[in-house]
Amino acid sequence: MRNIFFLLFFTNCALANANSMIEYFNRFIITFSSRSVSKNDYASLVSYEIDPAMRANYDIFPPEQYSNIDNASDFVIKNTDILFSGGKSRMLFLNFVRENILGSKKVITGRLVVYNKEHLTYSFKIEKYQQDNVVIFENILAIIPYSEMSSEFSCFYKFKQIDDEVVKLVDVKCAG
């Protein structure tokens, strides 16, 4: 009898954790579908402090670092595109999460999903998907026409359950 109780308790905890992640990503998509968010919404979804000067804007051709950055701490909530290196990237990231995490019966890790938009190629894949830890990889490749130059930028977005049923974006590691 104790074994059955333990199994039911363990299963319920696992389902609660899975539901926490699903609920989190639903809120994440709804909130970040807008270019700006409230401080409270941002704080409830993100515990990562971004440096806008270290990000490139891939909505501009050729890509450039974000400029005219006022040093206000709420700059990112006024322009959430910075978190995703541009508005196109933000919308594709949200679409990727919607289709591959929320809209999928089974989340597949390691499968590369590619979107081609004009001179840019965006690639996404789920590196890790656990009940309390999700890592999404993004790569942006911009080919500069009429030249041999390109620009590439890659990020790992780490979502983690940090407290009892509280999930947040806890880290974004980028290189490029």
Side-chain angles (χ1 to χ4, degrees):
M1 186 65 154
R2 286 185 184 178
N3 289 342
I4 292 172
F5 176 74
F6 177 76
L7 182 61
L8 287 174
F9 178 75
F10 181 76
T11 303
N12 284 339
C13 289
L15 290 174
N17 286 343
N19 287 338
S20 295
M21 200 59 83
I22 297 299
E23 288 173 19
Y24 171 82
F25 280 117
N26 273 317
R27 285 186 46 238
F28 188 88
I29 286 172
I30 291 167
T31 301
F32 285 102
S33 291
S34 175
R35 191 165 183 254
S36 64
V37 298
S38 73
K39 260 186 187 175
N40 290 340
D41 283 343
Y42 188 85
S44 73
L45 296 169
V46 178
S47 67
Y48 164 73
E49 209 164 304
I50 188 170
D51 180 2
M54 298 301 293
R55 300 304 279 262
N57 184 354
Y58 278 82
D59 287 343
I60 298 172
F61 188 74
E64 296 178 3
Q65 279 187 309
Y66 280 91
S67 59
N68 300 325
I69 298 172
D70 58 12
N71 290 324
S73 61
D74 63 350
F75 186 76
V76 176
I77 65 171
K78 291 178 184 174
N79 183 0
T80 60
D81 293 350
I82 294 169
L83 186 61
F84 303 96
S85 302
K88 290 177 190 167
S89 175
R90 175 175 53 87
M91 295 312 289
L92 291 172
F93 186 95
L94 298 176
N95 186 59
F96 175 79
V97 169
R98 186 179 299 110
E99 290 179 356
N100 293 278
I101 293 177
L102 299 178
S104 180
K105 290 183 181 189
K106 183 177 187 314
V107 174
I108 301 171
T109 59
R111 181 178 58 150
L112 194 65
V113 176
V114 178
Y115 302 96
N116 290 305
K117 299 287 182 188
E118 300 165 14
H119 57 278
L120 296 164
T121 301
Y122 299 87
S123 305
F124 297 91
K125 70 177 170 179
I126 300 168
E127 287 286 326
K128 182 186 287 187
Y129 190 82
Q130 298 171 333
Q131 292 174 347
D132 62 349
N133 187 10
V134 174
V135 178
I136 297 174
F137 170 77
E138 175 187 28
N139 184 69
I140 304 172
L141 177 64
I143 305 298
I144 312 300
Y146 313 111
S147 76
E148 295 180 13
M149 297 178 61
S150 64
S151 174
E152 189 168 11
F153 196 70
S154 299
C155 295
F156 288 91
Y157 294 82
K158 184 175 184 178
F159 302 88
K160 191 165 180 74
Q161 187 170 346
I162 55 174
D163 289 325
D164 195 27
E165 295 189 31
V166 175
V167 178
K168 290 192 178 188
L169 173 62
V170 295
D171 197 12
V172 181
K173 292 194 185 312
C174 298

